[in-house]
Amino acid sequence: MSAEQTENSDVVRLPVRVSRPVDGLDEAYRLSQNLAIASLMPRDLHGKPSDVLAILLYGQDLGLSAMQAIQGIYVVEGRPSLAAQTWIALARRAGHKVSVTNREPDKSCTVEITRGDTGETHTETSTIEQAGKAGRVVIKDGKPFARSREGKPLPWETYTDRLLLARAVSNCARFICPEIALGF
């Protein structure tokens, strides 16, 4: 009996090589099952091999390694989204210039992307007022305030600056270089 076979099965399982994109659903799912039980997985992916698999497949479509995908893709209301650093990395990898041109803590963030191929430039600003109109946060005593039903601070309250950056960069990239993220 070869090392790939088990005592209870005649199925030959080839090793999963992690230094290259996964090849086939069986290999991808076996990798996802093992990653899903790792204690270092994000809480929303821990114990959920099917969700890990979806993240890995999205990441592979974008040219990301398995661990880059797990760190750079997350799910919001059932839809995959890219982290700000992933948008920036993909834009720069495609040859575009990404600049944060203005950042006012807890107020606004402006991002400019210049295409490497055409020189076309686009700028987007994300503001706390826009987040308020979207129902994500309110301003209370001059500071962002967003709480869960249990009264715990939500990301728009605790990570306001990061979320303003994420909105500005994702909106800018979706407009000026949408091909880098294939519709994310």
Side-chain angles (χ1 to χ4, degrees), residues 5-28:
Q5 292 178 328
T6 63
E7 292 179 19
N8 298 330
S9 172
D10 291 331
V11 175
V12 175
R13 292 201 185 259
L14 299 174
V16 175
R17 288 172 271 153
V18 293
S19 62
R20 56 146 179 85
V22 291
D23 184 32
L25 186 59
D26 180 61
E27 183 178 310

mmCIF file of all heavy atoms in Angstrom, residues 5-28:
data_model
loop_
_atom_site.group_PDB
_atom_site.id
_atom_site.type_symbol
_atom_site.label_atom_id
_atom_site.label_comp_id
_atom_site.label_asym_id
_atom_site.label_seq_id
_atom_site.Cartn_x
_atom_site.Cartn_y
_atom_site.Cartn_z
ATOM 1 N N GLN A 5 -2.367 6.029 -0.037
ATOM 2 C CA GLN A 5 -3.579 5.263 0.209
ATOM 3 C C GLN A 5 -3.774 5.070 1.708
ATOM 4 O O GLN A 5 -2.825 5.025 2.480
ATOM 5 C CB GLN A 5 -3.495 3.894 -0.462
ATOM 6 C CG GLN A 5 -3.514 3.973 -1.972
ATOM 7 C CD GLN A 5 -3.383 2.604 -2.600
ATOM 8 O OE1 GLN A 5 -2.724 1.720 -2.058
ATOM 9 N NE2 GLN A 5 -4.024 2.429 -3.742
ATOM 10 N N THR A 6 -5.034 4.937 2.094
ATOM 11 C CA THR A 6 -5.325 4.662 3.492
ATOM 12 C C THR A 6 -5.814 3.230 3.609
ATOM 13 O O THR A 6 -6.174 2.602 2.616
ATOM 14 C CB THR A 6 -6.413 5.620 4.033
ATOM 15 O OG1 THR A 6 -7.618 5.378 3.315
ATOM 16 C CG2 THR A 6 -5.988 7.070 3.881
ATOM 17 N N GLU A 7 -5.840 2.741 4.818
ATOM 18 C CA GLU A 7 -6.280 1.364 5.034
ATOM 19 C C GLU A 7 -7.746 1.178 4.648
ATOM 20 O O GLU A 7 -8.139 0.122 4.210
ATOM 21 C CB GLU A 7 -6.086 0.989 6.504
ATOM 22 C CG GLU A 7 -4.631 0.899 6.899
ATOM 23 C CD GLU A 7 -4.478 0.558 8.365
ATOM 24 O OE1 GLU A 7 -5.441 0.049 8.975
ATOM 25 O OE2 GLU A 7 -3.388 0.779 8.893
ATOM 26 N N ASN A 8 -8.587 2.210 4.848
ATOM 27 C CA ASN A 8 -10.020 2.085 4.621
ATOM 28 C C ASN A 8 -10.455 2.515 3.235
ATOM 29 O O ASN A 8 -11.629 2.576 2.950
ATOM 30 C CB ASN A 8 -10.776 2.921 5.654
ATOM 31 C CG ASN A 8 -10.497 2.423 7.057
ATOM 32 O OD1 ASN A 8 -10.246 1.238 7.261
ATOM 33 N ND2 ASN A 8 -10.505 3.329 8.006
ATOM 34 N N SER A 9 -9.528 2.831 2.362
ATOM 35 C CA SER A 9 -9.928 3.374 1.073
ATOM 36 C C SER A 9 -8.922 3.009 -0.003
ATOM 37 O O SER A 9 -7.734 2.876 0.251
ATOM 38 C CB SER A 9 -10.025 4.896 1.182
ATOM 39 O OG SER A 9 -10.219 5.453 -0.092
ATOM 40 N N ASP A 10 -9.431 2.837 -1.203
ATOM 41 C CA ASP A 10 -8.552 2.608 -2.345
ATOM 42 C C ASP A 10 -8.271 3.910 -3.080
ATOM 43 O O ASP A 10 -7.639 3.912 -4.129
ATOM 44 C CB ASP A 10 -9.204 1.607 -3.312
ATOM 45 C CG ASP A 10 -9.265 0.216 -2.705
ATOM 46 O OD1 ASP A 10 -8.391 -0.107 -1.873
ATOM 47 O OD2 ASP A 10 -10.199 -0.535 -3.054
ATOM 48 N N VAL A 11 -8.762 5.029 -2.547
ATOM 49 C CA VAL A 11 -8.565 6.316 -3.182
ATOM 50 C C VAL A 11 -7.135 6.774 -2.970
ATOM 51 O O VAL A 11 -6.622 6.763 -1.863
ATOM 52 C CB VAL A 11 -9.543 7.374 -2.592
ATOM 53 C CG1 VAL A 11 -9.260 8.749 -3.167
ATOM 54 C CG2 VAL A 11 -10.972 6.953 -2.841
ATOM 55 N N VAL A 12 -6.509 7.145 -4.046
ATOM 56 C CA VAL A 12 -5.151 7.678 -3.962
ATOM 57 C C VAL A 12 -5.258 9.184 -3.798
ATOM 58 O O VAL A 12 -5.891 9.865 -4.602
ATOM 59 C CB VAL A 12 -4.352 7.331 -5.238
ATOM 60 C CG1 VAL A 12 -2.991 7.982 -5.194
ATOM 61 C CG2 VAL A 12 -4.230 5.829 -5.390
ATOM 62 N N ARG A 13 -4.676 9.695 -2.739
ATOM 63 C CA ARG A 13 -4.696 11.136 -2.479
ATOM 64 C C ARG A 13 -3.283 11.668 -2.659
ATOM 65 O O ARG A 13 -2.379 11.284 -1.943
ATOM 66 C CB ARG A 13 -5.178 11.433 -1.076
ATOM 67 C CG ARG A 13 -6.632 11.085 -0.881
ATOM 68 C CD ARG A 13 -7.157 11.848 0.306
ATOM 69 N NE ARG A 13 -8.505 11.456 0.593
ATOM 70 C CZ ARG A 13 -9.562 12.169 0.228
ATOM 71 N NH1 ARG A 13 -9.396 13.274 -0.425
ATOM 72 N NH2 ARG A 13 -10.772 11.763 0.520
ATOM 73 N N LEU A 14 -3.142 12.553 -3.606
ATOM 74 C CA LEU A 14 -1.859 13.181 -3.824
ATOM 75 C C LEU A 14 -1.643 14.260 -2.783
ATOM 76 O O LEU A 14 -2.604 14.859 -2.292
ATOM 77 C CB LEU A 14 -1.802 13.771 -5.230
ATOM 78 C CG LEU A 14 -1.959 12.755 -6.360
ATOM 79 C CD1 LEU A 14 -2.023 13.476 -7.694
ATOM 80 C CD2 LEU A 14 -0.825 11.741 -6.346
ATOM 81 N N PRO A 15 -0.410 14.553 -2.469
ATOM 82 C CA PRO A 15 -0.165 15.609 -1.480
ATOM 83 C C PRO A 15 -0.617 16.969 -2.014
ATOM 84 O O PRO A 15 -0.589 17.207 -3.212
ATOM 85 C CB PRO A 15 1.347 15.579 -1.283
ATOM 86 C CG PRO A 15 1.895 14.839 -2.450
ATOM 87 C CD PRO A 15 0.817 13.949 -2.962
ATOM 88 N N VAL A 16 -1.035 17.829 -1.108
ATOM 89 C CA VAL A 16 -1.414 19.193 -1.471
ATOM 90 C C VAL A 16 -0.154 20.038 -1.398
ATOM 91 O O VAL A 16 0.440 20.183 -0.342
ATOM 92 C CB VAL A 16 -2.491 19.754 -0.507
ATOM 93 C CG1 VAL A 16 -2.779 21.212 -0.821
ATOM 94 C CG2 VAL A 16 -3.751 18.927 -0.582
ATOM 95 N N ARG A 17 0.254 20.578 -2.533
ATOM 96 C CA ARG A 17 1.422 21.445 -2.566
ATOM 97 C C ARG A 17 0.950 22.875 -2.394
ATOM 98 O O ARG A 17 0.163 23.365 -3.185
ATOM 99 C CB ARG A 17 2.176 21.264 -3.878
ATOM 100 C CG ARG A 17 2.904 19.906 -3.901
ATOM 101 C CD ARG A 17 3.482 19.635 -5.246
ATOM 102 N NE ARG A 17 2.407 18.958 -5.980
ATOM 103 C CZ ARG A 17 2.261 18.983 -7.283
ATOM 104 N NH1 ARG A 17 3.095 19.617 -8.039
ATOM 105 N NH2 ARG A 17 1.268 18.342 -7.857
ATOM 106 N N VAL A 18 1.433 23.556 -1.364
ATOM 107 C CA VAL A 18 0.932 24.890 -1.052
ATOM 108 C C VAL A 18 1.758 26.006 -1.687
ATOM 109 O O VAL A 18 1.420 27.169 -1.551
ATOM 110 C CB VAL A 18 0.836 25.110 0.480
ATOM 111 C CG1 VAL A 18 -0.216 24.210 1.072
ATOM 112 C CG2 VAL A 18 2.173 24.905 1.150
ATOM 113 N N SER A 19 2.811 25.683 -2.395
ATOM 114 C CA SER A 19 3.645 26.717 -2.996
ATOM 115 C C SER A 19 3.148 27.130 -4.377
ATOM 116 O O SER A 19 3.798 27.893 -5.063
ATOM 117 C CB SER A 19 5.091 26.219 -3.090
ATOM 118 O OG SER A 19 5.150 25.074 -3.919
ATOM 119 N N ARG A 20 2.005 26.664 -4.788
ATOM 120 C CA ARG A 20 1.425 27.010 -6.088
ATOM 121 C C ARG A 20 -0.087 27.014 -5.948
ATOM 122 O O ARG A 20 -0.629 26.532 -4.956
ATOM 123 C CB ARG A 20 1.860 26.011 -7.149
ATOM 124 C CG ARG A 20 1.489 24.581 -6.741
ATOM 125 C CD ARG A 20 1.125 23.737 -7.924
ATOM 126 N NE ARG A 20 0.816 22.399 -7.519
ATOM 127 C CZ ARG A 20 -0.372 21.986 -7.098
ATOM 128 N NH1 ARG A 20 -1.363 22.812 -6.980
ATOM 129 N NH2 ARG A 20 -0.594 20.733 -6.770
ATOM 130 N N PRO A 21 -0.807 27.561 -6.937
ATOM 131 C CA PRO A 21 -2.277 27.532 -6.841
ATOM 132 C C PRO A 21 -2.778 26.092 -6.757
ATOM 133 O O PRO A 21 -2.180 25.181 -7.322
ATOM 134 C CB PRO A 21 -2.731 28.186 -8.149
ATOM 135 C CG PRO A 21 -1.573 29.006 -8.601
ATOM 136 C CD PRO A 21 -0.348 28.272 -8.126
ATOM 137 N N VAL A 22 -3.874 25.915 -6.025
ATOM 138 C CA VAL A 22 -4.437 24.574 -5.899
ATOM 139 C C VAL A 22 -4.969 24.118 -7.249
ATOM 140 O O VAL A 22 -5.396 24.927 -8.069
ATOM 141 C CB VAL A 22 -5.536 24.497 -4.820
ATOM 142 C CG1 VAL A 22 -4.934 24.672 -3.446
ATOM 143 C CG2 VAL A 22 -6.630 25.507 -5.070
ATOM 144 N N ASP A 23 -4.932 22.819 -7.463
ATOM 145 C CA ASP A 23 -5.321 22.255 -8.745
ATOM 146 C C ASP A 23 -6.455 21.267 -8.524
ATOM 147 O O ASP A 23 -6.223 20.128 -8.141
ATOM 148 C CB ASP A 23 -4.121 21.566 -9.392
ATOM 149 C CG ASP A 23 -4.427 21.041 -10.784
ATOM 150 O OD1 ASP A 23 -5.246 21.675 -11.481
ATOM 151 O OD2 ASP A 23 -3.858 20.004 -11.163
ATOM 152 N N GLY A 24 -7.675 21.710 -8.692
ATOM 153 C CA GLY A 24 -8.823 20.827 -8.550
ATOM 154 C C GLY A 24 -9.554 21.050 -7.243
ATOM 155 O O GLY A 24 -8.978 21.470 -6.241
ATOM 156 N N LEU A 25 -10.844 20.752 -7.275
ATOM 157 C CA LEU A 25 -11.706 20.975 -6.122
ATOM 158 C C LEU A 25 -11.330 20.100 -4.932
ATOM 159 O O LEU A 25 -11.338 20.555 -3.793
ATOM 160 C CB LEU A 25 -13.168 20.754 -6.516
ATOM 161 C CG LEU A 25 -14.198 21.082 -5.446
ATOM 162 C CD1 LEU A 25 -14.088 22.550 -5.026
ATOM 163 C CD2 LEU A 25 -15.595 20.780 -5.941
ATOM 164 N N ASP A 26 -10.970 18.849 -5.166
ATOM 165 C CA ASP A 26 -10.615 17.970 -4.047
ATOM 166 C C ASP A 26 -9.413 18.519 -3.296
ATOM 167 O O ASP A 26 -9.428 18.609 -2.073
ATOM 168 C CB ASP A 26 -10.334 16.547 -4.544
ATOM 169 C CG ASP A 26 -9.965 15.624 -3.396
ATOM 170 O OD1 ASP A 26 -10.808 15.448 -2.484
ATOM 171 O OD2 ASP A 26 -8.831 15.107 -3.385
ATOM 172 N N GLU A 27 -8.402 18.913 -4.023
ATOM 173 C CA GLU A 27 -7.202 19.450 -3.386
ATOM 174 C C GLU A 27 -7.521 20.745 -2.641
ATOM 175 O O GLU A 27 -7.089 20.943 -1.505
ATOM 176 C CB GLU A 27 -6.134 19.705 -4.452
ATOM 177 C CG GLU A 27 -4.826 20.188 -3.878
ATOM 178 C CD GLU A 27 -3.775 20.392 -4.963
ATOM 179 O OE1 GLU A 27 -3.570 19.486 -5.791
ATOM 180 O OE2 GLU A 27 -3.163 21.472 -4.952
ATOM 181 N N ALA A 28 -8.296 21.619 -3.268
ATOM 182 C CA ALA A 28 -8.662 22.889 -2.640
ATOM 183 C C ALA A 28 -9.475 22.660 -1.373
ATOM 184 O O ALA A 28 -9.253 23.311 -0.346
ATOM 185 C CB ALA A 28 -9.442 23.750 -3.628
#
